[in-house]
Amino acid sequence: MRILSGIQPSGQLHIGNYFGMMRPMIANLDRSELYAFIVDLHALTSVHDRAALAQGTLNAAADFLALGLDPERCVFWVQSDVPEVTELTWVLSTLTPMGLLERCHSYKDKTAKGIAPSHGLFSYPVLMAADILLYQAERVPVGKDQKQHLEVARDIAIKFNSTFGETFVLPEPVIDDAVATVPGLDGQKMSKSYGNTIPIFTDAKTLKKRVMAIVTDSTPVEEPKDPDKCNLYNIYKLFAPADRLGEVRDLYLNGGAMYGKIKLELVDILWEYFREARERQQHLLAASDHLRAVLKSGAEKARARAIPNLALVRERVGLAY
Ligand code: ADP
Ligand code: TRP
């Protein structure tokens, strides 16, 4: 099974990214042929600060490796180091109906949040389709917000195959219902672009500040509450040990759940949960030349796969004469 997924280096990675994409990718290290990459070309649709993009790319690499992605057991690279993807994007864009892109929620959501409505942002799903099809990926672990983009990738693959003959494998999303949309501090989807995240790696003070800022209602402590409707509970349940989670659930249902206390407990649980990874991440960040070497060697492996696939596409469409 060939599994592939990418992540944008457009800001600090957060626990939504961890559950939606990073954790399922790492869990598949030994079970499949794994392709993990940092999509800096996609991040260019929202980041126009040279230093921020370059540093963000190294940070994302350090984060992913620190969490357990072993570059010896997968292909791990930076999207722009494989230029073949942009050529495939162009070929695919000539087959992509405008209506397909016009229906995408993510363009509307992002422009509504203030990201400039550029052509790159509009055609973002075509580059993503090229990312997936270039490596003939079969499964793509993502959060629910990417489901529509996977459908676009499939539609484009079907269109290509029917126009030029069977070429691309049709990719399928892998979405874990339990963590399909991790809520942010305000209850909306946690997202780098919404400023409502709990970062995976941060200092103790910031972590505490973020957790204390989780929005809760003003129901009195002694009154019963529905845990499943509580934003704090929905984040807490991702990390709490099962027995303690049961106790807290009972407090919600029967009265006595104190939000402040649960938040402080969550701060401690989170701090411990990522402790070892945090130490590794600090070492990796201090060794940026090592990180670059890992990424460059990953890009060579990725290109070895991309080049013959692109050659096939060139031949199918008539760009090889
Ligand atoms: P962001 O929305 O924070 O910019 P990305 O678009 O870079 O995150 O997403 C990277 C991966 O993490 C994608 O697979 C995406 O679906 C997943 N992801 C992002 N936010 C969440 C979330 N709140 N819950 C679950 N998965 C998420
Ligand atoms: N669009 C994805 C996101 O915002 C990132 C991404 C780019 C991706 N290319 C991909 C995810 C290919 C999976 C496969 O999260």
Side-chain angles (χ1 to χ4, degrees):
M1 182 67 66
R2 204 168 309 114
I3 300 188
L4 168 147
S5 195
I7 193 154
Q8 293 194 68
S10 52
Q12 260 185 321
L13 301 189
H14 53 76
I15 60 172
N17 299 138
Y18 175 68
F19 285 106
M21 186 272 196
M22 301 166 98
R23 190 178 68 162
M25 288 292 280
I26 292 162
N28 274 302
L29 268 174
D30 291 318
R31 272 180 246 150
S32 43
E33 205 184 319
L34 199 74
Y35 290 77
F37 57 126
I38 298 167
V39 296
D40 56 347
L41 294 171
H42 277 107
L44 260 183
T45 59
S46 61
V47 182
H48 289 149
D49 173 329
R50 193 190 70 80
L53 184 59
Q55 189 58 50
T57 300
L58 286 176
N59 290 353
D63 289 6
F64 221 148
L65 296 174
L67 289 166
L69 191 81
D70 177 356
E72 299 295 324
R73 284 141 74 205
C74 68
V75 185
F76 182 49
W77 77 103
V78 175
Q79 185 186 34
S80 66
D81 281 337
V82 180
E84 285 72 20
V85 76
T86 55
E87 184 173 338
L88 180 60
T89 301
W90 177 256
V91 173
L92 298 182
S93 77
T94 65
L95 288 164
T96 307
M98 286 297 283
L100 194 62
L101 299 180
E102 275 159 4
R103 284 195 291 277
C104 286
H105 311 302
S106 125
Y107 177 78
K108 290 172 220 159
D109 292 349
K110 287 182 177 175
T111 52
K113 294 280 173 194
I115 298 181
S118 65
H119 172 253
L121 190 66
F122 185 70
S123 59
Y124 181 111
V126 188
L127 175 58
M128 178 160 163
D131 279 337
I132 297 169
L133 303 180
L134 186 58
Y135 300 95
Q136 302 281 15
E138 293 156 281
R139 296 276 190 281
V140 184
V142 282
K144 193 171 154 215
D145 59 317
Q146 296 300 316
K147 192 167 182 254
Q148 191 180 37
H149 287 160
L150 258 296
E151 281 157 14
V152 170
R154 281 176 71 89
D155 285 351
I156 295 176
I158 291 169
K159 183 85 181 277
F160 188 102
N161 288 350
S162 66
T163 311
F164 296 111
E166 275 311 302
T167 306
F168 293 122
V169 171
L170 299 189
E172 281 183 29
V174 181
I175 301 172
D176 176 352
D177 282 341
V179 288
T181 308
V182 174
L185 305 182
D186 54 0
Q188 289 190 73
K189 173 193 116 93
M190 186 176 287
S191 173
K192 295 180 212 105
S193 45
Y194 299 172
N196 63 354
T197 68
I198 298 180
I200 304 170
F201 298 116
T202 188
D203 58 279
K205 203 170 147 209
T206 311
L207 180 68
K208 185 168 175 190
K209 214 169 135 200
R210 293 290 176 97
V211 171
M212 296 319 276
I214 295 174
V215 177
T216 45
D217 64 20
S218 53
T219 319
V221 173
E222 59 284 359
E223 267 185 41
K225 316 176 216 334
D226 182 349
D228 301 319
K229 292 213 176 93
C230 176
N231 196 27
L232 171 61
Y233 182 85
N234 284 327
I235 298 176
Y236 179 84
K237 74 175 181 196
L238 300 171
F239 296 96
D243 48 347
R244 178 65 189 142
L245 184 63
E247 286 169 14
V248 170
R249 192 173 176 84
D250 285 345
L251 289 175
Y252 268 87
L253 295 172
N254 302 316
M258 291 197 269
Y259 294 140
K261 205 166 153 246
I262 298 169
K263 285 182 180 178
L264 287 174
E265 203 183 310
L266 178 59
V267 172
D268 289 343
I269 295 177
L270 279 166
W271 189 250
E272 278 311 309
Y273 195 92
F274 292 115
R275 177 187 289 282
E276 283 179 21
R278 191 166 50 243
E279 285 162 11
R280 283 196 294 271
Q281 190 245 17
Q282 291 303 321
H283 283 112
L284 285 160
L285 276 181
S288 51
D289 283 344
H290 166 71
L291 280 179
R292 288 189 188 93
V294 166
L295 293 167
K296 293 295 172 195
S297 123
E300 277 173 32
K301 288 200 257 173
R303 282 194 91 185
R305 178 97 210 167
I307 288 171
N309 284 340
L310 184 67
L312 177 65
V313 168
R314 287 179 137 256
E315 194 254 316
R316 288 280 151 92
V317 303
L319 290 173
Y321 52 87

